Amino acid sequence: MVLNSNDMVHLALLSFFKGLIVLGIMLFHAAYTVYAERKIIGRIQSRLGPREVGPYGLLQPLADLVKLLTKEDILPKEADRFLFKLAPLLLLVTTIVNLSVIPFYPDFIIADVHVGILVILAFAGLGVYGVILGGYASGSKYSLLGGLRSAAQMLSYEIPLTVSLAGVILAAESFRLGDIVEAQANSLFGMNLFPQVIGFLVFLICAFAETNRAPFDLPEAESELVAGYMTEYSGFRMGLFFLGEYISMYVMALLISLCYLGGWSLPPWMLSLLPILKEIPPVLILLVKVYFFIFLFIWVRATFPRYRFDQLMRLSWKVLIPLSFLNLLIVMFFKLLT
Amino acid sequence: MNPENYVPTEYLPLFIMLVLATLFAIGGLLLGAFIRPRFYYPEKLEPYECGNEPSGLPWQKIAIRYIPIAILFVVFDVEIAFLYLLGVSFSSISPLALGGAIFFIFLIILGFFYDLKKGYLEWTRF
Amino acid sequence: MSVVRILFFYFAFVILLSAFMGLRQRSPVKALLWILLLFVHIGGLYLLLNAEVLAFLQIIIYAGAILVLYLIMLLILDVREEERSMLYLKNWQSRIWAGLLVSFFFILGSLTFVNKHRGEHTLDKLKEVGPSKILGRLLFEDFTFPLIILAFLLLVPLLGIGLLFVKRRQDGSA
């Protein structure tokens, strides 16, 4: 676009406020997901979860924030000071930027770019540096091993994830997430889930591994690696890593809902069965799908035992990658038929 | 349209989001710096080793096992770039071009299955 | 000066600066981070050229895969030991060779300079079809044969990975 400087300032201000809104909502969500996680896991394990701070423990995230801010900030003796400080920033910033290409509503998107999915993949690739550098710079053996393992895990699960996304791109013939949702709404089943069940399952499993969540929280396996690449971090720096993890959970949940479940649209057959569903505002539909996946993340953490590292690698290279290619070939075959 | 004064304005919001995120993270760290205590003594700054005295530095030669994963990742990443481009232009290219693209995919899958068969992807192979 | 000029000079300056700093940096990991900055800014340069897909593919492949490979290699080595080792350009002969090489590339680059070239894929056409579609069509229609050759090139590391698994002999040497 060719714009004069006046329009440019207008655009900059508009996207600044949009960004502030999204960032605010996302931080609120991340904080309360921690609370929800503790509460739900508590219930599953027949405990009550947090209940001391405020009614039903609802002010717990605030108390956590105050605690993180007032904790001592320790820079270990052997640490590389610059890299040690850079690593959490890198991880958090690259995760937050992903939110700017995700449409939350047909018209609400911060940066409406042609190559949305590529932007997300590029910044996810840069996020790996945060993990490796955090492990490297700490100057602790647990950190280094945790960082290496985590990097190996993220690399091996990024391949099936991206290949299964290729199926989605093939179905919509576009990189823009808005176009992908629209293509699904116009398709036969109303969502990508049905022709691409394999791709959906592969993507779901990889989402758990990419966000370092249980059952793939190998880098943070307390019994072997203490806290992995986070071992030497304390106070707000650790909080940044933590926040990054929860925001990337939301990014993954949003991506699955948009790419496989039709985002803010409902399938046409469901609408023809129950016409009243048309009245639901689109953003609510998306929210329900996203909350379901967040609940799934928590549920799985409470239920599944952790994988061993060689099992983790075997799952990715021997099962998920061939399956994701199979999914791609099936989608290609269907596409050729029509 | 003249390329001389083309500005990719769609990407300005992306950059603004980057700045916002950085400001948020650094602002939080700075806020914490004003209120958090500082009582440092040498034992606190030691690297954590479950309570033992740290034995040596961590930067030692580690198993070469992580290298094949990174190499394979590079290969697959390049392939994924082409897969994505094939995805967006699938229905607008000629059958011959499609054949070439499918040959490309199959050759990489063939190489991958060779590695799988030879057992290079076993983690516990030593 | 137009906005495009200012942006171009910013990207070009950071690219040159980070390349220089990357070469100067003693610690390999920090040198690698300078190169990361360089790759990201090359992406920015592609954006200015209206090649959005290339800009992000460049970051995905170079910054997200190849540089990570180097980083993992560095972690596996004893980095502190490498930092203490000698520099490559320790004598004047190698410095002269390096200078000649750099000036050769400068001359080669300046020979390719074309002013006011107008190709087939103009901005208007790009806006009409969409940047990703036009790139895909161009790649698969006009460059089918190079694509097949690339497939064989990518096959080489897949087949050659076995060399990393050479059995250790009794005396411990590979």
Side-chain angles (χ1 to χ4, degrees):
Chain A
M1 264 182 285
V2 183
L3 289 177
N4 55 35
S5 55
N6 217 355
D7 288 338
M8 203 99 106
V9 173
H10 182 246
L11 180 76
L13 276 179
L14 186 71
S15 47
F16 177 77
F17 286 115
K18 271 185 182 174
L20 269 188
I21 291 169
V22 169
L23 192 61
I25 292 176
M26 192 45 68
L27 291 178
F28 178 80
H29 269 82
Y32 273 90
T33 310
V34 180
Y35 168 77
E37 177 165 21
R38 292 178 62 185
K39 210 72 181 168
I40 292 170
I41 290 185
R43 283 292 166 185
I44 290 176
Q45 297 170 347
S46 301
R47 295 184 282 115
L48 285 172
R51 57 191 286 272
E52 289 299 322
V53 196
Y56 305 103
L58 272 174
L59 295 179
Q60 186 71 40
L62 215 64
D64 285 343
L65 178 71
V66 172
K67 192 189 83 175
L68 281 178
L69 279 175
T70 51
K71 280 278 177 186
E72 220 172 335
D73 180 35
I74 293 175
L75 267 124
K77 199 173 57 184
E78 303 290 346
D80 188 322
R81 300 180 77 90
F82 174 69
L83 295 181
F84 188 82
K85 288 174 180 169
L86 181 73
L89 287 183
L90 209 60
L91 191 73
L92 182 70
V93 169
T94 51
T95 316
I96 290 180
V97 172
N98 280 343
L99 291 172
S100 62
V101 291
I102 291 179
F104 298 94
Y105 189 77
D107 300 322
F108 190 87
I109 175 168
I110 298 172
D112 192 10
V113 298
H114 279 291
V115 290
I117 284 190
L118 291 185
V119 174
I120 289 177
L121 290 181
F123 282 104
L126 293 182
V128 177
Y129 285 93
V131 173
I132 305 183
L133 289 179
Y136 164 76
S138 298
S140 156
K141 283 165 206 142
Y142 295 112
S143 298
L144 186 65
L145 282 176
L148 259 180
R149 268 194 187 189
S150 187
Q153 173 182 341
M154 282 168 112
L155 293 188
S156 349
Y157 278 81
E158 207 167 303
I159 302 169
L161 186 127
T162 40
V163 174
S164 56
L165 261 185
V168 174
I169 291 168
L170 189 63
E173 299 218 348
S174 171
F175 289 133
R176 192 201 240 119
L177 282 162
D179 289 351
I180 288 174
V181 173
E182 253 169 55
Q184 287 177 71
N186 299 330
S187 70
L188 186 60
F189 294 101
M191 49 173 74
N192 267 337
L193 174 63
F194 281 114
Q196 305 190 29
V197 194
I198 304 173
F200 170 73
L201 289 177
V202 169
F203 193 102
L204 191 64
I205 295 171
C206 293
F208 282 90
E210 281 286 295
T211 50
N212 287 338
R213 294 283 303 181
F216 304 117
D217 53 349
L218 268 280
E220 293 147 46
E222 293 89 355
S223 46
E224 19 186 316
L225 281 178
V226 193
Y229 57 92
M230 289 201 273
T231 305
E232 296 292 337
Y233 283 89
S234 59
F236 201 69
R237 285 187 211 285
M238 195 215 75
L240 292 184
F241 269 131
F242 220 65
L243 207 57
E245 182 185 320
Y246 279 89
I247 294 179
S248 67
M249 256 165 76
Y250 271 94
V251 171
M252 280 297 165
L254 277 164
L255 262 185
I256 302 177
S257 322
L258 289 170
C259 291
Y260 288 96
L261 292 189
W264 56 78
S265 67
L266 282 173
W269 49 267
M270 206 184 268
L271 285 179
S272 58
L273 276 178
L274 289 167
I276 199 164
L277 288 176
K278 271 183 195 144
E279 305 300 315
I280 305 176
V283 72
L284 210 64
I285 299 174
L286 183 64
L287 265 186
V288 168
K289 289 170 182 172
V290 170
Y291 286 157
F292 169 72
F293 282 110
I294 296 295
F295 177 71
L296 195 69
F297 271 104
I298 297 168
W299 190 11
V300 164
R301 181 176 165 191
T303 336
F304 279 76
R306 186 179 292 129
Y307 268 59
R308 223 171 48 217
F309 196 65
D310 60 314
Q311 291 169 331
L312 179 91
M313 286 295 154
R314 196 187 309 144
L315 179 67
S316 169
W317 291 101
K318 295 197 163 172
V319 183
L320 294 182
I321 292 181
L323 274 183
S324 62
F325 274 106
L326 181 70
N327 171 61
L328 185 71
L329 292 180
I330 292 174
V331 179
M332 260 186 204
F333 184 68
F334 272 116
K335 192 95 186 176
L336 277 180
L337 281 186
T338 51
Chain B
M1 267 198 282
N2 190 359
E4 272 287 297
N5 47 20
Y6 167 81
V7 191
T9 35
E10 303 100 282
Y11 294 89
L12 182 68
L14 206 74
F15 178 70
I16 288 172
M17 196 69 182
L18 199 78
V19 174
L20 261 179
T22 319
L23 283 183
F24 161 72
I26 292 179
L29 283 174
L30 283 181
L31 182 71
F34 285 119
I35 49 179
R36 66 184 162 228
R38 289 188 189 80
F39 303 117
Y40 297 132
Y41 45 90
E43 282 78 15
K44 212 180 239 177
L45 302 179
E46 292 276 308
Y48 181 78
E49 216 150 285
C50 300
N52 296 333
E53 295 268 314
S55 56
L57 288 172
W59 296 288
Q60 273 144 21
K61 293 187 174 65
I62 303 172
I64 202 168
R65 198 60 198 82
Y66 292 94
I67 298 258
I69 288 179
I71 293 175
L72 281 179
F73 181 68
V74 173
V75 172
F76 275 102
D77 229 27
V78 175
E79 203 209 343
I80 282 158
F82 287 102
L83 272 185
Y84 278 15
L85 287 176
L86 177 68
V88 285
S89 58
F90 191 76
S91 55
S92 59
I93 57 176
S94 65
L96 181 72
L98 193 64
I102 288 177
F103 176 77
F104 175 81
I105 297 170
F106 265 102
L107 210 58
I108 304 289
I109 296 179
L110 205 71
F112 175 70
F113 275 106
Y114 169 80
D115 283 358
L116 218 56
K117 191 104 181 47
K118 281 273 185 178
Y120 295 150
L121 301 172
E122 301 273 356
W123 189 261
T124 47
R125 185 197 142 98
F126 270 107
Chain C
M1 218 154 60
S2 65
V3 186
V4 185
R5 283 280 163 88
I6 298 170
L7 282 176
F8 171 76
F9 281 120
Y10 162 73
F11 283 125
F13 176 73
V14 176
I15 286 171
L16 290 177
L17 180 82
S18 52
F20 180 70
M21 293 303 284
L23 285 175
R24 257 204 55 162
Q25 185 62 251
R26 204 63 192 270
S27 148
V29 176
K30 280 183 187 157
L32 212 111
L33 280 185
W34 280 110
I35 304 304
L36 176 65
L37 194 68
L38 184 144
F39 283 148
V40 171
H41 279 82
I42 289 179
L45 217 51
Y46 275 125
L47 269 189
L48 279 189
L49 289 172
N50 210 347
E52 308 163 41
V53 184
L54 273 187
F56 287 98
L57 282 184
Q58 137 95 16
I59 295 177
I60 291 175
I61 292 174
Y62 281 88
I66 293 178
L67 219 54
V68 169
L69 169 67
Y70 290 168
L71 189 58
I72 288 181
M73 293 240 193
L74 284 183
L75 294 191
I76 282 165
L77 299 172
D78 186 349
V79 172
R80 294 276 160 111
E81 194 180 287
E82 305 294 320
E83 274 173 37
R84 270 180 256 119
S85 63
M86 295 282 266
L87 287 176
Y88 281 118
L89 300 178
K90 54 179 184 279
N91 52 9
W92 62 273
Q93 287 102 330
S94 51
R95 282 178 199 188
I96 285 179
W97 280 117
L100 278 178
L101 194 69
V102 169
S103 39
F104 171 71
F105 278 117
F106 262 117
I107 294 166
L108 210 66
S110 61
L111 284 181
T112 59
F113 181 76
V114 183
N115 199 13
K116 294 228 190 313
H117 171 70
R118 201 171 176 82
E120 191 186 338
H121 301 277
T122 55
L123 270 179
D124 307 281
K125 201 175 168 191
L126 218 60
K127 280 279 171 291
E128 192 189 307
V129 194
S132 40
K133 226 165 225 168
I134 218 166
L135 183 64
R137 214 181 292 169
L138 198 65
L139 178 74
F140 293 109
E141 294 279 352
D142 300 359
F143 296 96
T144 320
F145 187 60
L147 189 78
I148 288 171
I149 293 179
L150 179 78
F152 282 105
L153 272 182
L154 285 179
L155 199 61
V156 173
L158 284 177
L159 302 183
I161 235 168
L163 291 177
L164 286 169
F165 293 90
V166 180
K167 281 238 165 63
R168 278 177 182 276
R169 293 206 199 97
Q170 284 297 319
D171 57 345
S173 62

